[in-house]
Amino acid sequence: MITKFITDVSTKFNPFNPRAKTARVFLSLLPPNARQTMKVNTLLLPKTSRERSNLLLKFILVHIVNPNVSMGIQVFLFHEYNVNETRSNAEDGKTMQLDPEKLGIKEVMEEVDRHSRILSRQEELTGN
């Protein structure tokens, strides 16, 4: 899983709920230096809680500037999974709100990797 472009990870889950497995496994897949390179917030719900699990990811935004065009290009992704994609004004990057109760870890990793590869290509094009 490509985590270079993730700036913020926020999770909320009941560790005793079997449907929270995706959130637990996602956190275990973060690299050991994750707390140094990104902001990680985890809220553990009590065992009796009925709240749904939540996984929120924020990415950096890499602008591509074409000398012939005065505007930066922003890429929006549309796909079949239950992913809410919005733009955050504070971070100026993409925010993914994933439902770990409906998505498996493979689908979450595919979404993160898909967007990270796009950011990687944009970074290569800008020469950074």
Side-chain angles (χ1 to χ4, degrees):
M1 183 170 62
I2 305 168
T3 60
K4 177 182 176 182
F5 301 101
I6 299 175
T7 60
D8 193 358
V9 176
S10 297
T11 59
K12 176 178 71 170
F13 62 93
N14 177 351
F16 301 103
N17 189 343
R19 289 189 233 147
K21 181 178 180 180
T22 302
R24 293 191 314 263
V25 173
F26 182 82
L27 288 174
S28 73
L29 292 175
L30 292 176
N33 65 346
R35 293 204 181 263
Q36 296 168 355
T37 60
M38 64 186 82
K39 185 177 175 185
V40 179
N41 294 325
T42 304
L43 176 64
L44 297 178
L45 300 171
K47 190 173 187 174
T48 57
S49 175
R50 297 285 182 208
E51 277 190 71
R52 297 182 57 82
S53 297
N54 188 15
L55 178 59
L56 179 73
L57 304 171
K58 292 183 183 177
F59 292 85
I60 63 172
L61 181 64
V62 179
H63 287 285
I64 299 175
V65 179
N66 186 340
N68 301 327
V69 181
S70 61
M71 300 174 12
I73 298 173
Q74 296 180 346
V75 178
F76 294 91
L77 301 175
F78 299 98
H79 37 77
E80 73 246 28
Y81 297 117
N82 292 327
V83 177
N84 297 326
E85 298 175 359
T86 58
R87 291 283 173 182
S88 169
N89 293 332
E91 290 286 322
D92 194 32
K94 181 176 180 175
T95 301
M96 280 185 166
Q97 185 161 356
L98 305 168
D99 186 356
E101 292 187 5
K102 291 184 180 177
L103 297 174
I105 188 63
K106 288 184 181 180
E107 287 92 1
V108 170
M109 287 176 54
E110 284 175 9
E111 293 299 321
V112 171
D113 285 344
R114 178 181 293 134
H115 188 65
S116 294
R117 282 192 303 271
I118 289 171
L119 291 175
S120 177
R121 285 186 205 117
Q122 289 177 353
E123 185 181 54
E124 287 176 7
L125 291 173
T126 59
N128 294 335

